[in-house]
Amino acid sequence: MRTFRTIAELREVLAPIRPRSTVGLVPTMGALHEGHVALLRAARRTCDVVVASLFVNPAQFGDPADLSTYPRDETRDARMATDAGVDHLFVPTVDEMYPAGYATWIEVEGPARGLEGDFRPGHFRGVATVCAKLFTIVRPHVAFFGQKDAQQVAVVKRLARDLNLDVDIRVLPTVRDADGLALSSRNAHLSREERRRALAIPRALEAGLTAHRAGRDPIAAARAALGDLDPDYVAVADFDSRPTLAIAARIGSTRLIDNVPLDETATGAERLAPAMNTPTMGGDPT
Ligand code: AMP
């Protein structure tokens, strides 16, 4: 695996490859875990050349403390990326992506409105801008994203469609820890007690899904199962035309998001049950 820090060097290597090979891109902010690895492996299975990016994108952070404490470990990430079969690792600096005088931002409306868009103003502007830049730099045929960030998927799909970016967006199921908690780089911030409290989130999603299947209100059921956890929101949204039960909640100073599509098959629903889902469980792109 080769590591690239400049756009020019990466482009030089990719230019002759692209016409004869399928290029897959997995954009990440690093602090890789098995959720990211599932995306990398899917890219490895389906593409000739796999590019992964590690870039903690300041433009998508509203809270300076969240940005400064975001976990970073490039050495470990590079090892995991190599093991997952990544060919090219793109690790640009902030200056490389946003040089002095940078002034162009992409504002997606529609799917970026509401939920995360309300609680994190400017977040999706940063996400859309960095994804558009990465798509322009790498020009992948396929880009891989996680269902874990369901609203982000809807935003990126709309971005690609509206700007005719000619990239196929594939979505992989959420990878969970053995106890049901969705893997997230931010889980590293949770104390043991906070982690125990965070388990109310997958439990609430499961309760909501069960209620929905029985013809009852998923939001009421999920709220009841959250117990004393005070969420930013519990909502059913149409993300990319998929009805999805989504929850965001703060546990101490850590904000977590998770969701479950309500049109999941029975097999999909079982993914929320702790015993059924280990971090090694991947899944095929949908
Ligand atoms: P991040 O590094 O948090 O920006 O995430 C990079 C990509 O990994 C995004 O497409 C996320 O949706 C995806 N991702 C993060 N956590 C998980 C997870 N637990 N399961 C599957 N994909 C994930």
Side-chain angles (χ1 to χ4, degrees):
M1 185 184 76
R2 283 183 67 185
T3 298
F4 298 83
R5 299 192 190 273
T6 69
I7 295 164
E9 284 168 312
L10 180 64
R11 281 198 152 154
E12 196 181 314
V13 166
L14 290 177
I17 292 173
R18 196 179 299 103
R20 52 187 163 79
S21 313
T22 310
V23 177
L25 170 67
V26 181
T28 84
M29 297 204 298
L32 300 185
H33 51 63
E34 291 296 327
H36 299 113
V37 169
L39 304 187
L40 299 173
R41 292 222 176 98
R44 182 67 287 163
R45 278 197 303 276
T46 51
C47 300
D48 301 322
V49 176
V50 178
V51 182
S53 59
L54 303 182
F55 181 60
V56 182
N57 175 30
Q60 70 188 69
F61 285 78
D63 174 4
D66 189 22
L67 176 60
S68 64
T69 61
Y70 198 83
R72 296 164 207 241
D73 188 344
E74 188 187 319
T75 308
R76 181 173 169 278
D77 289 345
R79 205 167 45 236
M80 288 176 74
T82 305
D83 290 349
V86 171
D87 298 302
H88 302 310
L89 192 63
F90 181 44
V91 194
T93 60
V94 172
D95 276 353
E96 181 73 3
M97 293 295 275
Y98 303 111
Y102 188 87
T104 304
W105 302 98
I106 295 182
E107 195 84 57
V108 176
E109 299 183 350
R113 294 261 168 85
L115 303 183
E116 291 303 289
D118 286 345
F119 281 88
R120 302 183 68 188
H123 171 65
F124 287 125
R125 176 187 196 246
V127 168
T129 302
V130 82
C131 285
K133 283 177 69 72
L134 289 169
F135 293 163
T136 310
I137 293 163
V138 176
R139 293 181 48 211
H141 299 92
V142 193
F144 296 81
F145 290 84
Q147 171 66 28
K148 158 79 167 49
D149 299 279
Q151 191 173 5
Q152 172 172 280
V153 165
V155 169
V156 172
K157 282 193 170 180
R158 188 66 64 91
L159 166 80
R161 193 190 79 177
D162 288 354
L163 295 186
N164 312 99
L165 294 180
D166 202 17
V167 55
D168 178 10
I169 306 297
R170 304 247 179 109
V171 185
L172 273 289
T174 301
V175 178
R176 297 174 180 283
D177 229 328
D179 57 11
L181 190 66
L183 296 186
S184 163
S185 304
R186 289 188 176 86
N187 291 355
H189 296 315
L190 297 172
S191 68
R192 188 192 290 251
E193 169 59 14
E194 285 173 340
R195 198 192 154 91
R196 193 191 59 73
R197 292 183 57 218
L199 293 178
I201 297 174
R203 273 202 305 270
L205 291 173
E206 182 142 42
L209 184 60
T210 305
H212 173 73
R213 290 227 172 92
R216 291 183 282 112
D217 177 10
I219 297 177
R223 278 193 179 277
L226 278 177
D228 64 356
L229 215 60
D230 182 24
D232 280 354
Y233 58 77
V234 178
V236 173
D238 257 351
F239 291 139
D240 191 34
S241 309
R242 275 192 104 176
T244 303
L245 177 61
I247 296 178
R250 272 183 189 283
I251 291 111
S253 57
T254 308
R255 187 171 181 278
L256 299 179
I257 60 170
D258 199 353
N259 70 85
V260 64
L262 293 176
D263 60 358
E264 282 276 82
T265 60
T267 322
E270 283 157 7
R271 288 197 193 104
L272 284 163
M276 291 296 296
N277 189 15
T278 66
T280 51
M281 193 167 155
D284 285 322
T286 52

